[in-house]
Amino acid sequence: MSDKTKYSFETKCIHTGNGIDKETGAIRRPLTMANSYRLPEDASTMNWSDPNQLVYTRNTSANQIYLQEKLAALEGGEDCVVLGSGVSALAGVFFTFLEKDAHIICSNVSYIAVYRLLHEYFPDKFGVETSLVDTANLQEIKQALRPNTKIIHIETPGNPTTRVSDIAEIAKLAHAAGALLTVDSTFASPFLQHPLALGADLVIHSLTKYINGHGDAMGGAVIGQRELIDKIKGQAMVNLGGVISPFNAWLIMRGVVTLPLRMKQHSDSALEIAQFLESHRAVKFVAYPGLTSHPQHEIAKKQMTMFSGVMAFGLKADVDTHNKFVNALELIVPAVSIGHDESLIVYVGPNDERNHFYPAEFKNGHLRFSVGLEAAEDIINDLRQAFKKCGL
Ligand SMILES: *Cc1c(COP(=O)(O)O)cnc(C)c1O
């Protein structure tokens, strides 16, 4: 096999994990939808649950292995495990590395399922201790550290506030305390930020978002040292069963080919649109890491090459007007998720269960906006006509 590690990121997006199909000579590896693989002649001593052997698709599938190879290369990690969703990847990490009486420090604004897993389920069911802190503030992390701290988990940029946490500095704190640093890097994708190179132990992605990029397949991944990834494969994949469908792995493999092109476009358009919104008289605030007004803009510049496509903003208006604004949009689609080809917007009202953790300007609700790949001009014109319809 040729040495694919020498190539640049863009080239790896295309070639790593692909190969010539031995049976047909096809230049793309096929989709294999089988649930089982033929056993060796003497299966008497084999490990039925080996997550690196093709035995049963809940243990791993051919298409999953190809995708793992590609994602490990893109993040610069030794190995990768791909699961059925971003949440199954996150839950898999917590399940594998937290035990009874262990302590985890997590960002107090994070993906909603992470908030519930760490704030409710793990403490209530398994006796895990959780500290939810503002991870943009190193002092808060230091104060929260305990002798039994096993993980510091950050999401950067964070969903939905776009808060940025300093990966390199937090890695130092984690390692000095004997804890793992796990980073949900979904908003950045592997093209804009490399947490492992900055000292993180595990990087987690919802593949559902930018990595697939086309809004038509769910998946999750964890990348890091083989020893850690093998534990997740053994404990959380085979035995919790959050496996990815081979078809979704195949779709994501296809989506990731254009990741660099897409991330450049998302980032360029989002910066232009964030600046347009910030200058509009009816806009109360815009949270986007690429704006100089963003509280962690300097950290974002240090650890990201561009600022991706997600922002949050609010209007100088009441709840009804926010709803009216969303419904007045003609191009931008009101739907959850981020990182699709189409622009997506969702109005999160003030009854969000994490509202008390949000920065002051978010308290009356906010619009989370994922800028898609349409022409920036069309997106801005759509926002303009919606402002007008609402009399803003
Ligand atoms: C969407 C998202 C997740 C969850 O991913 P799913 O694929 O929907 O399970 C986790 N983290 C972040 C930052 C997300 O945006």
Side-chain angles (χ1 to χ4, degrees), residues 18 28-29 37 52 83-84 115 127 159 169 175 180 192-193 203 245 252 256 289 294 325 334 377:
N18 195 20
R28 291 183 182 241
R29 282 176 167 168
Y37 293 78
N52 296 308
L83 290 141
Y115 174 74
N159 191 352
E169 290 301 319
H175 297 153
L180 297 174
L192 302 181
Q193 165 173 293
V203 184
S245 153
I252 294 164
V256 73
H294 190 280
F325 178 77
E377 192 190 343

Side-chain angles (χ1 to χ4, degrees), residues 79-102:
D79 204 354
C80 168
V81 53
V82 161
L83 290 141
S85 68
V87 166
S88 66
L90 287 155
V93 167
F94 303 143
F95 181 80
T96 304
F97 298 106
L98 294 173
E99 64 276 325
K100 190 172 169 305
D101 300 325

Side-chain angles (χ1 to χ4, degrees), residues 169-390:
E169 290 301 319
I170 299 172
K172 285 184 212 156
L173 293 181
H175 297 153
L180 297 174
L181 173 62
T182 62
V183 179
D184 183 336
S185 194
T186 298
F187 270 37
S189 91
F191 185 60
L192 302 181
Q193 165 173 293
H194 286 111
L196 296 178
L198 297 170
D201 298 286
L202 293 169
V203 184
I204 301 143
H205 285 285
S206 166
L207 306 177
T208 315
K209 312 293 175 53
Y210 287 111
I211 292 181
N212 179 51
H214 295 75
D216 54 11
M218 301 200 95
V222 190
I223 300 122
Q225 281 176 16
R226 180 152 299 130
E227 190 195 335
L228 299 176
I229 298 298
D230 259 345
K231 281 190 185 153
I232 302 169
K233 285 180 179 171
Q235 294 189 29
M237 182 175 70
V238 177
N239 294 308
L240 289 185
V243 73
I244 191 165
S245 153
F247 182 46
N248 283 358
W250 182 86
L251 281 171
I252 294 164
M253 191 80 172
R254 187 171 183 263
V256 73
V257 165
T258 53
L259 182 71
L261 293 167
R262 288 187 283 105
M263 293 317 292
K264 282 181 207 161
Q265 187 61 52
H266 283 298
S267 300
D268 281 344
S269 295
L271 184 59
E272 190 183 336
I273 291 162
Q275 284 163 345
F276 161 74
L277 286 171
E278 199 172 41
S279 67
H280 196 283
R281 63 182 179 279
V283 172
K284 188 165 82 175
F285 75 95
V286 183
Y288 179 64
L291 292 175
T292 51
S293 60
H294 190 280
Q296 296 93 33
H297 177 61
E298 290 306 316
I299 303 171
K301 267 202 315 202
K302 187 178 75 166
Q303 67 189 22
M304 300 176 77
T305 51
M306 296 175 94
F307 306 102
S308 193
V310 192
M311 67 189 73
F313 67 102
L315 306 177
K316 293 174 188 158
D318 58 13
V319 169
D320 285 348
T321 310
H322 278 88
N323 280 325
K324 198 170 156 202
F325 178 77
V326 167
N327 290 305
L329 293 164
E330 291 172 358
L331 177 66
I332 302 163
V333 183
V336 296
S337 199
I338 60 139
H340 293 192
D341 43 7
E342 74 272 74
S343 292
L344 300 171
I345 198 163
V346 45
Y347 175 55
V348 181
N351 62 345
D352 185 284
E353 66 198 86
R354 298 160 296 170
N355 207 38
H356 60 290
F357 284 128
Y358 288 154
E361 64 273 20
F362 280 72
K363 301 269 187 216
N364 288 330
H366 65 274
L367 295 148
R368 190 191 62 193
F369 183 20
S370 173
V371 173
L373 298 173
E374 304 93 340
E377 192 190 343
D378 292 335
I379 300 173
I380 290 177
N381 284 337
D382 193 31
L383 294 165
R384 273 212 181 94
Q385 66 80 25
F387 278 127
K388 216 173 260 165
K389 264 190 216 151
C390 296

